[in-house]
Amino acid sequence: MADQVGGPAQVVLTASVARRYYLDGRSKVEIAEEFGLSRFKVARLIDAARDSGLVRIEIRHQGVIDVELSAHVQDRFGLQHAIIVDTPDDHAESLRQHLGRAAAELLSEVITPRDVLGLAWARSVSAMAKTLPRLPGIPVIQLTGALSLPNDDDSSVDAVRDVARASGGRAYLFYAPFTVPDATTARALRQQPEVARAFDQLGLVTKAVVGVGLWECGQSTLYDAAEERDRRALRHLGVCADISGVFVSADGETVKTDLAERMIGITAEQLRAIPEVIAIPYGTAKAPAVRAALRSGLVSGLVTHTALAHALLDNG
Amino acid sequence: MADQVGGPAQVVLTASVARRYYLDGRSKVEIAEEFGLSRFKVARLIDAARDSGLVRIEIRHQGVIDVELSAHVQDRFGLQHAIIVDTPDDHAESLRQHLGRAAAELLSEVITPRDVLGLAWARSVSAMAKTLPRLPGIPVIQLTGALSLPNDDDSSVDAVRDVARASGGRAYLFYAPFTVPDATTARALRQQPEVARAFDQLGLVTKAVVGVGLWECGQSTLYDAAEERDRRALRHLGVCADISGVFVSADGETVKTDLAERMIGITAEQLRAIPEVIAIPYGTAKAPAVRAALRSGLVSGLVTHTALAHALLDNG
DNA sequence: CAGGTCATCGCTCAAATGAGCAGGAGGTGT
DNA sequence: ACACCTCCTGCTCATTTGAGCGATGACCTG
């Protein structure tokens, strides 16, 4: 890698040849004729130019996406897509907006007119829905009920409606809570025409966007909304992450729970049947949950920020 | 050139492919197999990566040589060699040393065991001789007499002796002034055994190093040493530059002068017969003289500094 | 919904390129 | 001086790559 090109005349010649080749896009044969050299000599000069560092090639992106890190994460976890946004993560709201925008761009890029889109309830999914510019006219299916949050004007329904409006396709939405006190109520709700109609479409969903929660206080809206009994029960069952209501252990196994019977939402089997599931997690604290989600194989796409990506790689 | 790569997934894919291709040196076919693409797709991604600026290729040299400028000058004036040294030009002595070092490197690079080297009298040639590391055992011929300079311990003879010592070859040197008062004395001096022996070799010289002076006060040691009559006479003859005693007009024509008969040195014809003549001019004021010298075709190699190179190109 | 327009894709064929090899020049040690 | 050694050069042949083409599909418009 040290400058081993030779004397100054050699350096100048090498630089000229390298310029013609890399910057002007000439072929080595052309260059050989121009300089009166053999094409082999030209090839060796160019090799020397690269080895010596006289030619420097760098790949970088001036946008907010860290392409190297994205590729690394994608490769490391065998994902179909990984978008790592280089953004400060001190403010949750702005972070969510940035990730939402990136996810919206990703979605509008990968969606085709033949797709059927599923949306789970999550604040990051809502953020995405708001910045989504325009989609082909595809059906949009609501995957889960909604949890009402204090200081929050979004709901799962809004996201589905927003996206369906952007696409011009049909919206399968319903108004129902994510969790109810008992299994009977849940069954009854699932019989509701709107809910049933949406859930009938679940098998057709080809792409979905979900959130990921860590089964700890403040790291999952589902956890925060649950009763203490359920929190403990699931923790004892080894639940580490919830993927929009589907529970997963630290080693990536799905976990069957009683709570599931009291929920209005997609099941683990149905989620696994979706070819592409994009998650939009944020916050380094969630790293164990994201790791579990990635291990489970339920998630095939990831949109997140650099800090969480590094956390994933450091101990992944 | 604007980012026209597509969405974020595309950007990440393109970056990965570009990395594999440019940084890891994989073939496009390999990359295509690895990513499950056609090799055409890979090629188009790589093209897009270059066009969009995602891949940036730059050619630069961390040494003192400005390779781009050197190549430009070499091309512009059709030179065999051009070495432009990027060095501050406020101090003549340090400038001379830098150019001398560069010229020494150039010379030791281009000289072969079959060459016969000619050295003219010039301070820059002396500077070169001092830093010359080692050469093949070749003959070294003194091309001109010497001018004694105040505050200067060098002479043409020293340079020839230094270089001959570095090469281990034979030195054809003599002790004579560059100019004498009358033609008769000059003829007599040329009959001197040492001088005659050196001049007999002139036809064999294959490479020479010379200085270039501008025919103005302070820009040519020959001018400064000349009498006022000669200064004016040559100016009226249109002399612009002196190339180690060979006079050239601004449009590059050699100029016959009376002064030439009173000089001990190489003639225009003899100089032209030398396949490679390297000049080491410095100081932006000399730009017109250097231009004249390059136009004359007598000089085929140039070692100088960035400021003079820019001056040459600006109005060349 | 039909037809036009545009971009994208993968193909063919010829040119460009790389890996490895043999010959030769220059340098070196005995 | 001689043999040896190493570096450099240009070659052959197989692989890689690029230019241009037709087909496909998405989007636009009437």
Side-chain angles (χ1 to χ4, degrees):
Chain A
M1 188 53 92
D3 257 329
Q4 199 51 49
V5 193
Q10 184 85 345
V11 168
V12 171
L13 175 64
T14 304
S16 304
V17 166
R19 155 170 275 284
R20 273 261 184 273
Y21 186 72
Y22 283 113
L23 269 25
D24 301 345
R26 303 281 176 199
S27 80
K28 297 180 184 180
V29 174
E30 282 179 304
I31 297 168
E33 287 168 359
E34 179 180 345
F35 286 83
L37 305 167
S38 75
R39 68 182 184 84
F40 306 98
K41 179 72 178 171
V42 171
R44 284 172 183 133
L45 284 176
I46 291 172
D47 287 347
R50 276 201 328 194
D51 292 347
S52 70
L54 206 149
V55 168
R56 197 173 58 180
I57 302 177
E58 61 180 17
I59 296 171
R60 94 226 176 292
H61 185 60
Q62 70 277 43
V64 292
I65 297 171
D66 187 328
V67 290
E68 292 279 328
L69 190 53
S70 300
H72 192 184
V73 168
Q74 184 174 332
D75 185 56
R76 170 71 183 75
F77 295 105
L79 296 170
Q80 294 182 30
H81 299 290
I83 309 295
I84 311 302
V85 177
D86 187 8
T87 181
D89 52 356
D90 44 5
H91 186 33
E93 181 55 32
S94 105
L95 181 52
R96 207 152 49 217
Q97 282 182 11
H98 278 107
L99 296 189
R101 179 182 307 277
E105 289 176 12
L106 173 61
L107 193 63
S108 59
E109 183 184 1
V110 301
I111 219 86
T112 71
R114 266 188 264 290
D115 274 318
V116 176
L117 179 61
L119 295 183
W121 180 90
R123 279 169 300 185
S124 47
V125 174
S126 296
M128 183 201 76
K130 277 193 208 146
T131 63
L132 204 57
R134 201 168 152 66
L135 286 181
I138 55 167
V140 183
I141 319 292
Q142 182 170 338
L143 299 181
T144 66
L147 284 172
S148 62
L149 281 177
N151 308 325
D152 199 37
D153 54 352
D154 305 316
S155 77
S156 178
V157 183
D158 286 326
V160 173
R161 200 176 343 98
D162 288 348
V163 174
R165 191 176 295 142
S167 83
R170 172 134 192 216
Y172 292 85
L173 55 85
F174 56 84
Y175 293 87
F178 207 161
T179 59
V180 292
D182 59 274
T184 314
T185 311
R187 273 194 294 273
L189 272 174
R190 292 199 198 98
Q191 302 298 320
Q192 283 274 333
E194 293 84 6
V195 179
R197 203 150 43 83
F199 281 19
D200 280 350
Q201 308 294 322
L202 282 187
L204 304 176
V205 172
T206 56
K207 291 193 167 64
V209 185
V210 301
V212 172
L214 175 68
W215 200 246
E216 279 177 16
C217 180
Q219 298 297 330
S220 159
T221 45
L222 208 48
Y223 180 98
D224 293 347
E227 291 171 17
E228 184 55 31
R229 213 163 47 108
D230 286 324
R231 294 177 177 177
R232 275 215 295 251
L234 266 64
R235 198 178 304 124
H236 279 118
L237 285 170
V239 167
C240 171
D242 85 276
I243 305 170
S244 290
V246 173
F247 298 107
V248 173
S249 69
D251 54 0
E253 298 295 318
T254 55
V255 178
K256 280 195 186 299
T257 66
D258 288 347
L259 180 55
E261 297 183 8
R262 283 173 275 137
M263 289 171 63
I264 315 295
I266 191 168
T267 66
E269 294 73 30
Q270 288 168 326
L271 186 62
R272 192 175 293 284
I274 301 177
E276 169 127 35
V277 176
I278 297 169
I280 317 177
Y282 53 93
T284 51
K286 279 189 183 168
V290 177
R291 212 136 46 208
L294 295 177
R295 240 179 232 140
S296 75
L298 294 171
V299 171
S300 62
L302 191 67
V303 177
T304 191
H305 54 111
T306 47
L308 180 49
H310 281 126
L312 288 174
L313 291 169
D314 282 350
N315 190 11
Chain B
M1 189 52 95
D3 256 329
Q4 199 49 51
V5 193
Q10 185 86 345
V11 169
V12 172
L13 175 63
T14 304
S16 304
V17 167
R19 156 171 275 283
R20 274 260 182 273
Y21 185 73
Y22 282 114
L23 269 25
D24 300 346
R26 303 281 177 199
S27 83
K28 296 180 184 181
V29 175
E30 283 180 303
I31 297 168
E33 287 168 358
E34 178 180 346
F35 285 85
L37 305 169
S38 76
R39 67 183 186 84
F40 308 97
K41 178 75 178 169
V42 171
R44 284 171 182 134
L45 283 176
I46 291 172
D47 287 347
R50 277 202 327 194
D51 292 347
S52 69
L54 206 149
V55 168
R56 199 173 57 179
I57 302 177
E58 61 181 18
I59 296 171
R60 95 225 174 293
H61 186 59
Q62 70 278 40
V64 291
I65 297 171
D66 187 329
V67 289
E68 292 279 328
L69 191 54
S70 301
H72 192 184
V73 168
Q74 184 174 334
D75 186 55
R76 168 71 183 73
F77 296 104
L79 295 170
Q80 294 182 30
H81 299 290
I83 309 295
I84 312 301
V85 177
D86 187 8
T87 181
D89 51 356
D90 45 5
H91 187 32
E93 181 55 33
S94 106
L95 182 52
R96 205 153 48 217
Q97 282 182 10
H98 278 108
L99 296 189
R101 180 181 307 275
E105 288 176 13
L106 173 61
L107 193 63
S108 60
E109 183 183 3
V110 299
I111 219 84
T112 71
R114 266 188 265 292
D115 275 316
V116 176
L117 178 63
L119 295 183
W121 179 89
R123 278 168 300 184
S124 47
V125 175
S126 295
M128 182 201 77
K130 278 192 207 145
T131 63
L132 204 58
R134 201 169 150 66
L135 286 181
I138 56 167
V140 184
I141 319 290
Q142 183 170 336
L143 299 181
T144 66
L147 285 173
S148 61
L149 283 177
N151 307 324
D152 200 38
D153 53 352
D154 305 315
S155 76
S156 178
V157 182
D158 285 326
V160 173
R161 199 178 340 101
D162 286 349
V163 174
R165 191 176 296 142
S167 82
R170 171 133 193 218
Y172 292 84
L173 56 86
F174 55 85
Y175 294 89
F178 207 161
T179 58
V180 292
D182 59 273
T184 312
T185 310
R187 272 194 296 274
L189 272 174
R190 294 198 198 98
Q191 301 299 321
Q192 283 273 334
E194 292 85 8
V195 179
R197 205 152 40 84
F199 280 20
D200 280 349
Q201 308 293 323
L202 282 186
L204 304 176
V205 172
T206 56
K207 291 192 168 65
V209 185
V210 301
V212 172
L214 174 69
W215 198 245
E216 279 177 16
C217 180
Q219 296 298 330
S220 160
T221 44
L222 208 47
Y223 180 97
D224 293 346
E227 291 172 18
E228 184 56 31
R229 214 163 45 110
D230 286 324
R231 294 176 178 178
R232 274 216 297 251
L234 266 63
R235 198 178 304 126
H236 278 118
L237 284 170
V239 166
C240 173
D242 84 278
I243 305 170
S244 290
V246 173
F247 298 109
V248 173
S249 69
D251 53 0
E253 298 295 319
T254 55
V255 178
K256 278 195 188 301
T257 64
D258 286 348
L259 179 56
E261 298 183 5
R262 282 173 275 137
M263 291 172 61
I264 314 296
I266 190 169
T267 67
E269 294 71 32
Q270 289 168 326
L271 185 60
R272 191 174 294 283
I274 301 178
E276 170 129 34
V277 176
I278 297 169
I280 317 178
Y282 52 93
T284 52
K286 278 189 185 168
V290 176
R291 212 134 48 207
L294 295 177
R295 238 179 234 141
S296 74
L298 293 171
V299 170
S300 62
L302 191 67
V303 177
T304 190
H305 54 111
T306 48
L308 180 50
H310 279 126
L312 288 175
L313 291 169
D314 282 348
N315 191 10

